[in-house]
Amino acid sequence: QVQLVESGGGLVQPGGSLSLSCVASGFTFSIYDMRWYRQAPGKERELVAAISRLGGSTRNYADSVKGRFTISRDNAKNTVYLQMTNLKAEDTAVYLCMCPTLQTWGQGTQVTVSS
């Protein structure tokens, strides 16, 4: 079955760093674009970052995270990553990975930025 499983969320202080992972299974991961979204209580779901298929040469970021977050992929591990630095309170949200072609979503992992 097609599945995406996120991990790596947790509690971090403002200015800190955190890395999220999303492991894919049930499909040929390397040939698909991948995305990270986030959703905070009371706010609309936001596209955070996107990476193109295969070598991931094209990467796009929301203005709110550009320069702080980095999306990457390791096709040998069927994994897409989101490295987050200089975290701010407004980054607090459930982070979800998804494949736009297959319209498949992970279950989400909670990131809380608080002192």
Side-chain angles (χ1 to χ4, degrees):
Q1 71 279 17
V2 174
Q3 190 172 28
L4 299 172
V5 180
E6 303 98 330
S7 63
L11 176 64
V12 63
Q13 293 186 336
S17 300
L18 204 62
S19 293
L20 308 181
S21 299
C22 173
V23 179
S25 61
F27 65 99
T28 306
F29 172 77
S30 63
I31 68 173
Y32 293 105
D33 295 350
M34 295 295 296
R35 294 174 177 172
W36 283 98
Y37 286 83
R38 68 185 181 187
Q39 187 155 25
K43 291 189 173 182
E44 294 185 354
R45 185 178 61 199
E46 177 186 22
L47 176 61
V48 174
I51 187 168
S52 59
R53 67 193 185 99
L54 301 179
S57 58
T58 301
R59 308 178 192 196
N60 298 106
Y61 301 93
D63 288 342
S64 58
V65 308
K66 194 169 186 178
R68 300 188 298 119
F69 290 13
T70 301
I71 188 171
S72 62
R73 67 191 302 157
D74 185 340
N75 294 329
K77 298 183 183 297
N78 289 342
T79 302
V80 61
Y81 303 94
L82 186 67
Q83 298 171 296
M84 306 181 294
T85 64
N86 192 24
L87 284 161
K88 307 176 184 300
E90 52 263 42
D91 295 318
T92 296
V94 174
Y95 285 72
L96 308 98
C97 69
M98 73 93 64
C99 175
T101 303
L102 299 178
Q103 289 291 291
T104 298
W105 294 80
Q107 84 290 344
T109 185
Q110 176 71 47
V111 173
T112 302
V113 184
S114 177
S115 59

